[in-house]
DNA sequence: ATGGATATTCAAAGCGCTTTGGGTGTCAGC
DNA sequence: GCTGACACCCAAAGCGCTTTGAATATCCAT
C-alpha cells in the first residue's frame, strides 16, 4: 500500500492525503479524519526511503561502535546506552542504525556514512584523547554528540560525560581516609579518554597526600573479567601487595574479587575494592546492600540524555554545542574497610 | 556530491556513470577507470535512500530487540551477537537497523517496519515458545531468521539455535554421575523458548535416573547477577540444600558463586556449579583453566552464521527455510566435583 | 561501398514521497 | 452583482538514483 493507492482509494490527491497525514492545517477536519481512518485500516505507513529522499531527512541516528581488534567485542555498556537512547528515539520517530567499525577504517566509515546520507546525526562512542573523529565530523557538518570527551581536542563540540575525575578522586580519597596507602588502579585502556582522566585523578589524589603513585600498582587494558582477575592475582602475590583496588568496571571488579577469594582473603576485610559501576540492567551492584563500594553513574540515562541532545542539535541547525557533565554517586558497599597491616 | 554532478564533471551521462560504478559490462574499461578515479577523488558515494528507492532494496537488516519491561534492559548477549553478524553485513555492504520494541507493541512494530521498507530482512531475537512474530513475518513475506526456535510454531521458518536440550541434558547427567541428587536449576524466563527447552532436558535427565524434579529447586527469571545470588542464597539456607546448581548464564552463575562464598562454602568442593556460557568477549570463562564447568556455545559465531543465512534468503527469493543447530561443548572447569554429604 | 553485428553511450521514465504554485468554491462586504 | 478573503484541494516538479529503450559509433564481412 502506497500513497498513490491510498489517495485513489479515497478519491483524493496525493497532496491532500500527504498533508492530512502530516498534520498540515489546510485540510478540513472531516477529510483528515477520513484519511487517518483509511490509513489505519489499510495499514498504510509511508515508505521511509521515499520520505527521506523527499525531505532530505533520514529519521535515523547512527551509532558507530569501534570494534576491538583483540577481542572482537562490543563494549558491554553499549546495550544499556542504546536502551536509554532508544526510548528517546522511539518517542520522536527515529530509527537507530549501527555500524561496527575497526580503528583502521574509522575515517573512511564516517565519510561514507555522511555521503550515503542514511542518518541525520551520529553518537560517537568510546572517544580517544585526541580523537580524529571529532574534527572530521565537524568538518563534514554532521550533527553529533560524543559519549565521553576528548581531552586533546580543542575545538568546541557537543558531549555528555561522567565526571570521571571527580569520581575517581573521591574514590581514591575514600580509600586513603580508610588508611590505605598501597592502592592499585585497574584501569581501562589509557588511550581512551575516560581511562586517562581516571588515572590522572587517582595519581593526583595520591600525590596530594604525599604518596607517589607506584607503577607496579597500575594496570590498564580492556576491561574484561579475566583482566581484573590476573591483575589482582599477580599483585596479591607480590611481597608488598596492595591493600585496596580501584577498578574501572564492575566486570573487571568481579575478576578482582575472584582473585581475592582465591588468595584466601576476604573482600572488605582483608582487601578493599572500589569500582566504577555503570548501573547495567543485568549487573546491578547488589540490591539493598551494595556488593561493591562504587562510583555509580547510569549509562542508560546517559544514553537517554545524549539522544535528547542530538535530536536538539538536529532540529536546531546552527545551535551551539551542548555539553553535560554527569556526576557519579559514591555508593558505600561492603567491599571496603579500614586498611589492615599484613 | 551526487551522481548528476559527478557525471557533469566527467562529461558523461548519469546512466554511464552509474553503470561504470556498479560494474556493468557495457561500459568500456577506459571510461570505467576514469569514473572510478573521479569518484574516489571527489569522495562520491551514492545516496543510500535514493538508491534504495530506485532498486527496492534497502541494503539494511533489522534487528528487533524485545525490551524487558521490568529491567528496561537489552539482553547482554546482543552485543556479541551483533559483533558477529556485523562482520558478515559489512562484507556484503549491509547496514544494521535496530529497533527496541516492548512486548505490547511487537505486532505493530513489525508491520510498520515492513511497510516503511527500511530493511530487507529481519533477525528475530528472543523467541517465545509460541511466538506470534513468526507467523506474522511469514504472512508479511519478509525474509527473517530466528535466533533460537519457537517450539509451538509449526509452520516452517528459518532458525539458528544452540542445542539447548542436549547441552542441559549432558550437564545434568554430568552432575548425576558425580553423585549429585539435589540439583538446582536457575533458569531464564520460561516462556522463552531456550529456557523451556533447558528445563525439559533437565527434568527428563533427572527422571530418567529415577529422580523426581523438585519444584523447590527450580527458579526462573531474568538472568541477572542478583537473581542468581538470591536463588542460591535462599536455597543454601534450606534444610535440604542443593549440592549442585545448573545455571543458565555466566552472569547469573557469578551471582550463584557469590552466594556460595558468602555461605562460607567453596565452589567445586562443597557445591558444584555448571553454567551455560555464551562465550562473551568481556566475560570469558577463565583463560587456561575454566572457572566454571560450562556448556559453551559462542553467540558471536551464531550471529555471523545467522547473518549469512539471512543474506542468503534475501538474495535467493523463494529459497526454502534454512535451519541450523549448533552443538554446545561441555567444558570441564573447577566448579564441579563429587557430591558431598553434608 | 554496404549491411549487420557489436560496443558504447545517452535521454527519459520511474521508485514513493513532499512541496510549490496554482485552482475552485463559498461567503461576507460593498 | 462584484470583489477579495478564506478554506480547501490538486497537478506537477523534484529528491538522487536505476533501468529501459534507443541512438550513435565502430568494425568486419560481403
Amino acid at each position: 500500500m502506497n500513497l498513490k493507492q491510498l489517495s485513489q482509494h479515497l478519491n483524493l490527491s496525493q497532496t491532500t492525503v500527504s498533508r492530512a497525514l502530516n498534520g498540515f492545517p489546510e485540510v478540513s477536519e472531516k477529510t483528515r479524519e477520513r484519511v487517518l481512518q483509511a490509513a489505519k485500516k489499510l495499514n498504510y505507513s509511508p515508505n521511509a526511503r521515499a520520505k527521506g529522499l523527499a525531505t532530505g531527512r533520514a529519521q535515523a541516528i547512527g551509532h558507530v561502535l569501534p570494534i576491538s581488534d583483540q577481542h572482537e567485542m562490543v563494549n558491554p555498556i553499549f546495550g544499556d546506552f542504546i536502551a536509554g537512547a532508544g526510548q528517546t528515539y522511539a518517542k520522536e520517530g527515529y530509527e537507530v542504525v549501527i555500524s561496527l567499525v575497526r580503528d583502521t577504517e574509522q575515517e573512511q566509515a564516517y565519510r561514507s556514512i555522511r555521503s550515503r546520507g542514511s542518518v541525520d546525526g551520529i553518537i560517537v562512542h568510546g572517544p580517544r584523547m585526541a580523537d580524529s573523529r571529532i574534527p572530521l565530523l565537524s568538518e563534514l557538518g554532521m550533527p553529533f554528540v560524543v559519549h565521553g570527551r576528548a581531552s586533546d581536542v580543542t575545538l568546541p563540540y557537543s558531549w555528555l560525560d561522567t565526571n570521571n575525575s571527580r569520581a575517581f578522586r573521591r574514590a581514591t580519597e575514600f580509600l586513603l581516609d580508610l588508611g590505605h596507602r598501597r592502592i592499585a588502579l585497574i584501569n581501562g585502556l589509557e588511550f581512551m579518554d575516560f581511562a586517562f582522566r581516571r588515572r590522572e585523578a587517582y595519581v593526583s589524589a595520591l600525590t596530594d597526600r604525599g604518596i607517589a603513585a607506584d607503577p607496579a600498582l597500575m594496570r590498564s587494558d580492556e576491561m574484561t573479567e579475566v583482566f581484573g582477575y590476573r591483575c589482582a592475582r599477580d599483585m596479591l602475590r607480590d611481597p608488598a601487595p596492595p591493600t585496596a583496588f580501584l577498578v574501572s568496571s564492575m566486570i573487571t571488579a568481579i575478576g578482582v574479587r575472584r582473585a581475592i577469594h582465591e588468595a584466601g582473603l576476604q573482600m572488605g576485610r582483608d582487601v578493599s575494592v572500589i569500582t566504577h559501576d555503570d548501573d547495567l540492567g543485568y549487573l546491578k551492584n547488589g540490591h539493598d546492600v551494595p556488593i561493591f563500594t562504587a562510583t555509580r553513574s547510569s549509562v542508560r540515562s546517559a544514553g537517554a540524555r545524549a539522544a535528547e541532545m542530538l535530536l536538539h542539535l538536529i532540529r536546531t541547525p546552527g545551535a551551539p554545542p551542548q555539553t553535560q557533565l554527569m556526576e557519579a554517586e559514591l555508593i558505600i558497599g561492603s567491599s571496603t574497610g579500614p586498611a589492615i597491616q599484613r
Side-chain angles (χ1 to χ4, degrees), chain A:
Chain A
M1 170 62 60
N2 60 25
L3 224 209
K4 192 169 179 183
Q5 297 168 332
L6 179 61
S7 61
Q8 280 168 354
H9 176 86
L10 285 163
N11 265 321
L12 284 170
S13 73
Q14 295 191 39
T15 311
T16 304
V17 176
S18 169
R19 290 193 153 150
L21 292 171
N22 290 309
F24 281 68
E26 61 269 65
V27 42
S28 73
E29 270 318 309
K30 202 167 24 164
T31 42
R32 185 192 306 283
E33 198 47 45
R34 207 158 65 89
V35 170
L36 290 174
Q37 292 288 334
K40 188 161 201 174
K41 199 177 112 237
L42 300 176
N43 216 301
Y44 167 80
S45 54
N47 180 296
R49 289 190 302 269
K51 192 162 183 160
L53 186 55
T55 57
R57 278 171 271 116
Q59 289 289 107
I61 304 297
H63 284 254
V64 183
L65 307 184
I67 181 161
S68 140
D69 276 325
Q70 309 152 54
H71 293 95
E72 291 272 329
M73 73 183 212
V74 170
N75 189 328
I77 69 167
F78 174 68
D80 266 53
F81 186 92
I82 209 80
Q87 306 285 62
T88 308
Y89 294 150
K91 223 181 310 171
E92 312 278 346
Y94 279 80
E95 298 190 317
V96 179
V97 353
I98 80 180
S99 341
L100 301 162
V101 179
R102 303 206 115 73
D103 290 344
T104 46
E105 305 157 0
Q106 294 274 339
E107 169 142 358
Q108 185 47 41
Y110 281 85
R111 285 194 186 280
S112 105
I113 285 171
R114 171 59 169 161
S115 54
R116 278 194 319 239
S118 44
V119 302
D120 298 326
I122 285 183
I123 299 266
V124 174
H125 294 270
R128 313 301 174 83
M129 290 169 55
D131 203 303
S132 61
R133 294 175 291 176
I134 294 170
L136 176 60
L137 286 169
S138 306
E139 178 201 322
L140 293 176
M142 161 143 296
F144 68 98
V145 170
V146 179
H147 180 211
R149 270 175 288 178
S151 304
D152 292 352
V153 173
T154 51
L155 52 84
Y157 60 92
S158 296
W159 53 261
L160 171 84
D161 199 4
T162 297
N163 196 336
N164 283 298
S165 298
R166 182 168 306 165
F168 268 53
R169 169 170 276 278
R170 278 191 71 193
T172 309
E173 286 170 353
F174 183 82
L175 289 169
L176 288 167
D177 290 344
L178 284 169
H180 294 277
R181 290 297 172 270
R182 291 192 63 72
I183 302 171
L185 176 69
I186 316 290
N187 206 0
L189 289 165
E190 287 178 354
F191 55 77
M192 301 294 281
D193 198 77
F194 76 91
F196 167 73
R197 284 174 191 272
R198 288 176 182 178
R199 181 171 52 122
E200 292 281 280
Y202 156 88
V203 170
S204 85
L206 289 178
T207 315
D208 288 357
R209 299 272 183 109
I211 299 175
D214 181 351
L217 296 182
M218 294 159 65
R219 297 283 170 84
S220 137
D221 202 341
E222 262 182 301
M223 304 182 288
T224 62
E225 197 267 358
V226 168
F227 168 59
Y229 168 76
R230 287 205 184 134
C231 291
R233 182 195 60 191
D234 296 351
M235 288 186 188
L236 289 173
R237 282 180 186 162
D238 199 88
T243 63
F245 290 90
L246 186 48
V247 188
S248 248
S249 94
M250 283 277 285
I251 289 175
T252 311
I254 287 171
V256 170
R257 182 179 69 191
R258 178 157 68 96
I260 291 173
H261 282 145
E262 206 179 272
L265 303 170
Q266 190 181 320
M267 184 171 78
R269 191 193 60 191
D270 307 314
V271 182
S272 290
V273 174
I274 300 187
T275 182
H276 184 72
D277 173 11
D278 294 296
D279 204 22
L280 303 183
Y282 53 93
L283 198 57
K284 292 279 177 211
N285 186 8
H287 194 70
D288 11 83
V289 185
I291 309 166
F292 292 105
T293 296
T295 55
R296 182 165 69 197
S297 172
S298 161
V299 72
R300 183 177 316 107
S301 32
R305 193 68 199 90
E308 284 167 20
M309 287 170 61
L310 183 53
L311 293 187
H312 172 78
L313 288 178
I314 289 171
R315 279 193 288 242
T316 326
Q322 310 255 300
T323 64
Q324 183 169 349
L325 194 55
M326 302 177 82
E327 292 301 332
E329 290 176 275
L330 183 63
I331 305 284
I332 312 299
S334 50
S335 67
T336 42
I340 287 183
Q341 309 309 330
R342 290 202 282 151

